[in-house]
Amino acid sequence: MRFIKGLLSAALLMAGAMAAKKSSEERFNSFHTKALASLPVKLSDVSYKTLTEAPRDYSVSVLLTAMDPRYGCHLCREFQPEWDLLAKSWIKGDKKGESRMIFGTLDFTNGRDTFLSLGLQTAPVLLHFPPTTGPHAVASQEPVRYDFSSGPQNAEQVRSWLVRHMPEGPHPEIVRPINWVRWISGITITMGVLTFIYVASDYILPIVTNRNVWAAISVMTILIYTSGQMFNQIRNTPYIGSDSRGGIVYFTRGFQSQVGIETQLVGCMYAIMALCSITLAVKVPRMADSSAQQRVVLICGGALFLTYSFFLSIFRIKNAGYPFSLPPFM
């Protein structure tokens, strides 16, 4: 058994030595042929060393990842489809290899020695190796490392990063496959909505074309915006305030500050006054019963007066110098 293991080790060493003797052009052609069949190229410790060793007149991008669930690398599994898409899009747009670019993937299971030699303790790690010889050679032989600190990245972001570190030449665009599920779902939902509208049109059209419905929507929209809702959204104001003693503040001082509950209370007062005004102007004149008409006038007039009195008191809270007031909220 030991003899067989020794033979395998010797064979691997001989294979590595033979690969090292290959020229840069031979190595590129060999890996480019593999890339046409399988994207990106699956690497091991030996093939990684062969692909990235100098001298090298081509570019290499290698993703060092850990896909085995035992390692719990969620970012690896999230980024792998984007990496595969980038490699496939690139090779489809550059089948002749004019960009002199090879994409490879080295999983921790097949590249423990490489991870240890690079001192890597996290994954994924994306390394880009520029050419070391030829017209586009760079002075440093150290690879450029992509930053995953901001979380999952998409294929377009990685492609832009690679293009910045590559010489001029063909840089194929990302071609995403058609999402048939999304298209079919969208068409099905659209057809369902249109069918519902057609079947229920006899019930929907009277509501949509009703003047009172649109008047109510318009009034509610106006009340929402005039009460300060847009101010809350822009300033991201808190819902409720507090004073120095830990008590609750419903209305803050100053016209440049407010809280969420203040907006809601002001909106309710606007709604009460608007409802009373509309009732007095539209509903009351059409009432045939004079006694009922009188009662509605007194109720709406009283509610309007009290609400407006309280509303003026709020103005004095916002600005102590406000001169107007009405009883009972003086």
Side-chain angles (χ1 to χ4, degrees), residues 64-124:
L64 296 102
T65 185
M67 295 294 292
D68 196 308
R70 293 177 299 171
Y71 307 127
C73 183
H74 301 289
L75 184 57
C76 296
R77 291 193 288 272
E78 290 179 8
F79 179 67
Q80 189 64 45
E82 295 295 314
W83 176 247
D84 294 341
L85 174 63
L86 172 59
K88 291 178 181 179
S89 299
W90 194 287
I91 198 65
K92 285 182 180 180
D94 184 31
K95 292 184 177 181
K96 296 182 179 180
E98 296 177 358
S99 63
R100 308 289 291 177
M101 178 68 170
I102 299 294
F103 290 88
T105 299
L106 178 61
D107 194 273
F108 180 74
T109 305
N110 302 320
R112 294 174 181 269
D113 294 341
T114 302
F115 273 76
L116 292 175
S117 64
L118 295 174
L120 300 179
Q121 297 181 351
T122 60

Side-chain angles (χ1 to χ4, degrees), residues 222-292:
I222 293 171
L223 294 179
I224 289 173
Y225 284 100
T226 55
S227 62
Q229 182 62 30
M230 186 60 69
F231 182 93
N232 292 343
Q233 294 295 327
I234 296 173
R235 299 290 184 90
N236 194 23
T237 59
Y239 180 72
I240 201 166
S242 60
D243 56 19
S244 58
R245 298 183 298 274
I248 297 175
V249 174
Y250 296 96
F251 301 98
T252 59
R253 297 184 180 277
F255 290 108
Q256 295 300 317
S257 63
Q258 66 182 36
V259 290
I261 193 171
E262 177 181 341
T263 300
Q264 294 178 358
L265 292 174
V266 171
C268 290
M269 287 187 287
Y270 278 149
I272 293 172
M273 290 188 289
L275 179 62
C276 292
S277 300
I278 294 172
T279 302
L280 291 172
V282 178
K283 187 68 176 177
V284 171
R286 299 177 182 177
M287 298 177 66
D289 189 346
S290 58
S291 60

Side-chain angles (χ1 to χ4, degrees), residues 169-207:
H171 301 141
E173 298 288 340
I174 303 296
V175 180
R176 291 190 176 272
I178 298 174
N179 191 335
W180 292 108
V181 174
R182 179 179 296 178
W183 275 95
I184 293 173
S185 300
I187 293 173
T188 303
I189 293 172
T190 302
M191 295 298 295
V193 171
L194 293 177
T195 303
F196 173 78
I197 293 174
Y198 177 77
V199 173
S201 59
D202 293 339
Y203 305 96
I204 296 175
L205 285 177
I207 298 175

